[in-house]
Amino acid sequence: MEKQDYIQLFDKFLLKQASPEEVQILIQWLKSEGSFQDWMDEEWDVASSGMDTDLQQKLLGQIKQKISLEMQQAPLKRNKYRTIYLWTARIASVIILLLLTGISVYRYAMEQQKMQDMIVSVEKGQKANVVLPDGSKVWVNSDSRLIYGSRFTSKERILELEGEAYFEVAPDKDRPFIVETNDLAVRALGTSFNVKSYEEEKDISTVLMTGKVEVSSSYDRLILNPNERIVFDKQTGHMEKSSVENAKEYINWKFNELTFKGETFENIVHTLERYYNTRIVFESESLKKYRFTGTPGNTSLESILQILSLTSPLSYEVKDSLIILWENVKQKAYYEKALK
């Protein structure tokens, strides 16, 4: 008999239509070391083709071990049709049960894997872009950390951000897209916006390019429209909204270009440290309050320091990998008006 004949005989047996002679033939085939095992391997491969290889082999080994045990515990008795039937049925049930169990375990393992958090960690001087499971795109700035997974579900899309990132959200009216920082939550449906929330900086900011977002803290909630920006003061808890001329300038970092909009030297230094992966210290605390507006673009750190020194009483010195900044007292009088 061909393999297909045995398979048809197996189906006939499960329908209780096989004769005692046919059952005897089937039993001999089931007991054989080669034919039945080959058929079971083939069926398992088809049923579990998407399964992890290690998990697949482990479960298959359990099936073979269980069948071997059934053979030892239920020896055949000649001309006992009922005994033969029960023995074979037990083997069939073992195959079906473990096969279904294997698939269930696999699905459960896959679900658990989906539930695990994914962490995108970007070092200083680096950037990264990520496509989320829903198709949304994220550009993560240097010295930043993006966490998603366990709360990125069929009902809502929640991410955690430490640092700065730009989001282009895939529209999904049934699943709000929420970016959480330590102090703020930015909620969107289908839009593009930038969130900046570094631990060492005093403010958290959100700028909206397209669509609409809701920014909420423990004390306030504001709606942002395109070309609007919210700045949250971590110390006071105050959140302020303002209009900007061109929101896209706030994501120039995505294209390796630096843009500063009335930023304090203290914040600018934090940005330069992350961007160039270097260490900068202030010798003069008063220098931190000066502000600068401009777009140095994609240039060297030395060039940016020269630009700052031309527009403020800043002087600097490079010692090995350390940059020291101090206030030039002789030039200070010319720049007093620059402070706000």
Side-chain angles (χ1 to χ4, degrees):
M1 295 179 64
E2 300 293 333
K3 181 180 70 174
Q4 189 61 36
D5 296 328
Y6 285 110
I7 294 173
Q8 291 176 358
L9 187 57
F10 189 81
D11 293 336
K12 189 176 180 180
F13 166 78
L14 293 177
L15 293 173
K16 299 182 181 181
Q17 297 175 355
S19 66
E21 292 77 15
E22 289 174 326
V23 172
Q24 287 285 1
I25 295 172
L26 180 60
I27 291 298
Q28 293 302 317
W29 182 64
L30 288 172
K31 290 177 65 179
S32 67
E33 290 294 329
S35 302
F36 174 64
Q37 293 289 347
D38 292 342
W39 170 72
M40 188 175 67
D41 289 347
E42 291 175 7
E43 292 300 308
W44 177 260
D45 288 339
V46 172
S48 57
S49 59
M51 189 179 295
D52 177 77
T53 304
D54 292 337
L55 178 60
Q56 178 181 341
Q57 292 303 317
K58 183 177 181 180
L59 290 170
L60 182 57
Q62 291 176 357
I63 291 175
K64 293 180 178 180
Q65 183 180 8
K66 187 68 175 178
I67 291 175
S68 176
L69 184 62
E70 290 291 338
M71 287 181 173
Q72 294 173 14
Q73 293 177 348
L76 291 177
K77 295 182 181 180
R78 191 179 298 271
N79 299 323
K80 296 290 186 178
Y81 179 80
R82 179 173 175 78
T83 303
I84 293 172
Y85 176 81
L86 291 175
W87 182 84
T88 311
R90 289 174 70 181
I91 290 182
S93 65
V94 167
I95 296 172
I96 296 172
L97 178 60
L98 286 181
L99 183 59
L100 293 176
T101 302
I103 294 173
S104 298
V105 169
Y106 171 68
R107 288 176 178 170
Y108 175 77
M110 291 300 99
E111 288 298 321
Q112 289 299 105
Q113 184 176 7
K114 291 178 182 177
M115 293 297 288
Q116 292 177 356
D117 282 332
M118 299 292 294
I119 301 176
V120 180
S121 186
V122 184
E123 297 180 356
K124 291 182 178 180
Q126 304 294 323
K127 296 178 183 64
N129 56 73
V130 182
V131 178
L132 300 177
D134 67 333
S136 296
K137 299 178 182 179
V138 187
W139 286 259
V140 187
N141 206 350
S142 58
D143 196 22
S144 299
R145 196 164 175 257
L146 182 72
I147 304 171
Y148 67 94
S150 60
R151 295 193 292 164
F152 207 94
T153 66
S154 58
K155 295 182 178 180
E156 56 188 1
R157 300 170 286 175
I158 301 179
L159 309 89
E160 298 175 38
L161 174 67
E162 300 171 11
E164 184 172 16
Y166 168 68
F167 300 85
E168 290 185 355
V169 181
D172 189 339
K173 63 179 181 180
D174 298 322
R175 288 200 299 162
F177 189 98
I178 303 171
V179 179
E180 293 184 349
T181 69
N182 286 335
D183 299 279
L184 291 182
V186 182
R187 180 187 180 99
L189 290 176
T191 183
S192 57
F193 59 97
N194 192 81
V195 179
K196 185 179 182 182
S197 177
Y198 285 105
E199 184 179 356
E200 66 272 17
E201 296 188 3
K202 298 176 180 178
D203 300 327
I204 301 173
S205 65
T206 301
V207 183
L208 182 66
M209 286 70 189
T210 62
K212 182 179 291 187
V213 297
E214 177 187 87
V215 183
S216 58
S217 67
S218 301
Y219 311 101
D220 205 355
R221 181 176 297 174
L222 296 174
I223 300 295
L224 269 184
N225 292 304
N227 287 323
E228 288 186 340
R229 180 177 184 238
I230 282 179
V231 177
F232 174 84
D233 190 314
K234 295 180 184 178
Q235 294 180 337
T236 65
H238 177 67
M239 189 160 54
E240 184 176 350
K241 182 171 71 170
S242 62
S243 298
V244 297
E245 291 184 7
N246 184 6
K248 291 183 178 180
E249 290 183 345
Y250 287 85
I251 59 169
N252 279 344
W253 61 264
K254 212 180 87 171
F255 309 103
N256 295 321
E257 292 187 355
L258 292 175
T259 295
F260 302 108
K261 294 288 185 178
E263 291 285 345
T264 63
F265 277 19
E266 183 176 17
N267 282 350
I268 289 174
V269 163
H270 289 317
T271 300
L272 296 179
E273 286 182 322
R274 292 189 295 265
Y275 193 87
Y276 293 101
N277 191 18
T278 190
R279 186 166 174 243
I280 306 174
V281 297
F282 286 94
E283 192 174 87
S284 305
E285 284 292 316
S286 58
L287 198 59
K288 294 180 178 180
K289 299 179 180 179
Y290 285 87
R291 295 179 181 269
F292 174 77
T293 296
T295 303
N298 184 9
T299 185
S300 67
L301 176 58
E302 181 79 15
S303 297
I304 293 177
L305 292 174
Q306 288 180 1
I307 292 172
L308 294 178
S309 66
L310 290 173
T311 58
S312 70
L314 176 145
S315 293
Y316 66 92
E317 180 182 6
V318 180
K319 288 185 176 181
D320 297 326
S321 59
L322 179 66
I323 299 173
I324 303 171
L325 308 180
W326 72 89
E327 188 178 47
N328 189 319
V329 179
K330 293 182 180 180
Q331 298 181 13
K332 180 178 178 180
Y334 296 101
Y335 299 100
E336 287 289 343
K337 296 181 180 180
L339 284 173
K340 296 182 181 180

